[in-house]
Amino acid sequence: MSIIIRDLSYVHSDKEVLFQHLNLVINPGDKIALTGNNGCGKSTLMRIIAGDLSATTGTVSHPEHLYYVPQHFGQYDDRTIAQALRIDGKLKALHAILNGDVSEKHFTTLNDDWNIEERAQAALSAWGMDGIPLSRLMGGLSGGEKTRIFLAGMELHSPVAILLDEPTNHLDATGRQRLYDFVRRTPAIVLVISHDRTLLNQLPAICELASNGLTFYGGNYDFFKEQKGIQLNALQKQLEEKQKALRLARKTARELAEQKAKQNVRGEKAAIKKGIPRIMMGTMKNRAEVSTNKLKSVHTEKAEKLQ
């Protein structure tokens, strides 16, 4: 199943629009980096996809088996590692059965996952957390340890879709390399927010978030930056051309206004010499002013459009 974002918008409680009219389809097996300026709403969008936050308008559909690694873990401090990994229910059912409680509900909860404890320990060990008790509270762990626990959950659960928000922030070189390898080999959908350029270059597509939409780029991060550079250079040239045209339009408007004013003065002097009645001179003056104002309006409108 794909991740499908339809006409998604998010508005802060103070009515400030963070983003609007987002549309995107992430197909099975796609691996995409989500980029954008700081504060554009990348983490907010990922939380909405994960179901941790509600959008203002629009919808998101995604595979049922989705796994989310957030950027911050403080909300898990009062939970055990087993709870953070969402296997505490299975562990309780397993130990209840082993202790003689053969209630049907325990077998339903365990769902034949008899080696859940061994699999959890193996996954944690693979991420450098060998031997840590599943009953230990998350609150006493470092940021790097919490990150590795959540990343171990990817291998434990084998999800259909994975959302990663700055997953390398607290990882050492060994942990980062393991993550790069995992991202390359997993068949799952992967959506990543990161400032780690090496990680971003593992992904074959980039999606750039802005307030008014998402722009998709085929190619890794280096290719994306190259394309953005080309676009920005083209826009810079257009800007310079418009600025040049604006300066010329303003200069032309000033010169024409000065010429028209001089013509009006000369016309008045000539009319006086010819003895034209004052009432007719007034009519001529009004016409000249109307003509001058029209000319000024035309050039002002042109300058405003260029601006």
Side-chain angles (χ1 to χ4, degrees), residues 6 20 46 62 65 108 111 134 168 186 200 204 216 224 235 237 248-249:
R6 293 188 183 94
Q20 58 186 346
M46 190 166 278
H62 58 71
H65 201 182
T108 301
N111 194 26
L134 294 170
T168 62
T186 181
L200 295 177
F216 185 88
F224 161 74
L235 288 172
K237 288 181 180 179
L248 179 60

XYZ file of all heavy atoms in Angstrom, residues 6 20 46 62 65 108 111 134 168 186 200 204 216 224 235 237 248-249:
152
model
N -3.468 13.900 0.366
C -4.433 14.577 -0.504
C -4.808 15.954 0.069
O -5.371 16.047 1.160
C -5.712 13.750 -0.649
C -5.554 12.432 -1.385
C -6.920 11.801 -1.623
N -6.810 10.488 -2.277
C -6.776 9.342 -1.625
N -6.819 9.340 -0.303
N -6.697 8.194 -2.274
N -0.078 24.316 2.878
C -1.423 24.045 2.381
C -1.374 23.388 1.011
O -0.389 23.510 0.275
C -2.247 25.329 2.307
C -1.633 26.419 1.433
C -2.406 27.722 1.513
O -3.536 27.750 2.003
N -1.804 28.807 1.030
N 5.512 15.017 8.945
C 5.811 13.626 9.259
C 4.950 13.136 10.420
O 4.476 11.991 10.422
C 7.298 13.460 9.577
C 7.731 12.012 9.683
S 9.535 11.791 9.655
C 9.882 11.844 7.900
N -2.113 5.495 4.679
C -0.799 4.841 4.695
C -0.976 3.380 5.072
O -2.034 2.973 5.581
C 0.149 5.539 5.671
C -0.356 5.583 7.092
N -0.429 4.465 7.902
C -0.811 6.616 7.838
C -0.889 4.807 9.081
N -1.141 6.103 9.080
N 0.976 -1.125 8.727
C 2.221 -1.464 9.400
C 3.263 -0.389 9.122
O 4.175 -0.538 8.306
C 2.712 -2.825 8.916
C 3.664 -3.486 9.868
N 4.264 -4.697 9.613
C 4.134 -3.099 11.082
C 5.059 -5.005 10.611
N 4.996 -4.058 11.511
N -3.859 -15.077 21.716
C -4.249 -14.115 20.673
C -3.256 -12.953 20.632
O -2.819 -12.526 19.556
C -5.666 -13.586 20.935
O -6.585 -14.675 20.950
C -6.080 -12.589 19.864
N 0.182 -14.157 19.311
C 0.084 -14.413 17.871
C 1.248 -15.258 17.355
O 1.860 -14.955 16.321
C 0.026 -13.070 17.116
C -0.415 -13.243 15.675
O -1.120 -14.195 15.342
N 0.032 -12.330 14.821
N 14.820 -5.200 28.854
C 13.643 -4.632 28.208
C 12.743 -3.913 29.203
O 11.885 -3.112 28.817
C 12.852 -5.733 27.495
C 13.570 -6.381 26.306
C 12.811 -7.618 25.836
C 13.717 -5.377 25.169
N 20.109 10.396 12.543
C 21.551 10.291 12.825
C 22.036 11.325 13.828
O 23.233 11.409 14.097
C 22.373 10.423 11.525
O 22.145 11.727 10.957
C 21.989 9.363 10.515
N 16.519 -2.221 2.813
C 15.141 -2.502 3.192
C 14.193 -2.364 2.004
O 14.339 -1.440 1.191
C 14.674 -1.567 4.326
O 13.322 -1.902 4.666
C 14.709 -0.102 3.903
N 21.221 11.353 3.047
C 20.341 11.844 1.979
C 20.770 11.312 0.614
O 19.930 11.074 -0.258
C 20.337 13.377 1.964
C 19.739 14.055 3.207
C 19.852 15.560 3.094
C 18.295 13.636 3.410
N 17.095 7.822 -3.565
C 17.066 8.137 -4.999
C 16.090 9.235 -5.394
O 15.915 9.510 -6.581
C 16.645 6.803 -5.632
C 15.793 6.158 -4.589
C 16.368 6.566 -3.266
N 8.699 17.434 -6.295
C 9.408 16.153 -6.351
C 10.581 16.245 -7.320
O 10.461 16.791 -8.421
C 8.434 15.058 -6.813
C 9.027 13.679 -6.794
C 8.977 12.898 -5.656
C 9.636 13.155 -7.925
C 9.520 11.627 -5.631
C 10.182 11.894 -7.924
C 10.126 11.117 -6.769
N 19.903 16.957 -6.478
C 18.905 17.968 -6.110
C 19.556 19.334 -5.933
O 19.058 20.348 -6.441
C 18.205 17.529 -4.820
C 17.494 18.623 -4.083
C 16.296 19.138 -4.550
C 18.020 19.128 -2.899
C 15.634 20.143 -3.863
C 17.364 20.128 -2.210
C 16.173 20.646 -2.694
N 16.724 32.131 -11.921
C 15.872 33.123 -11.264
C 16.637 34.410 -10.975
O 16.091 35.510 -11.083
C 15.312 32.544 -9.964
C 14.242 31.462 -10.117
C 13.924 30.833 -8.767
C 12.973 32.047 -10.730
N 19.095 35.629 -12.757
C 19.215 36.357 -14.023
C 17.908 37.062 -14.371
O 17.910 38.209 -14.835
C 19.611 35.386 -15.141
C 21.050 34.902 -15.039
C 21.402 33.956 -16.176
C 22.845 33.470 -16.052
N 23.206 32.523 -17.126
N 14.973 51.330 -15.876
C 14.767 52.010 -17.158
C 13.362 52.609 -17.225
O 13.185 53.747 -17.696
C 14.966 51.018 -18.309
C 14.768 51.573 -19.725
C 15.746 52.715 -19.986
C 14.947 50.464 -20.768
N 12.361 51.867 -16.745
C 10.974 52.354 -16.777
C 10.823 53.606 -15.918
O 10.156 54.572 -16.312
C 10.029 51.261 -16.301
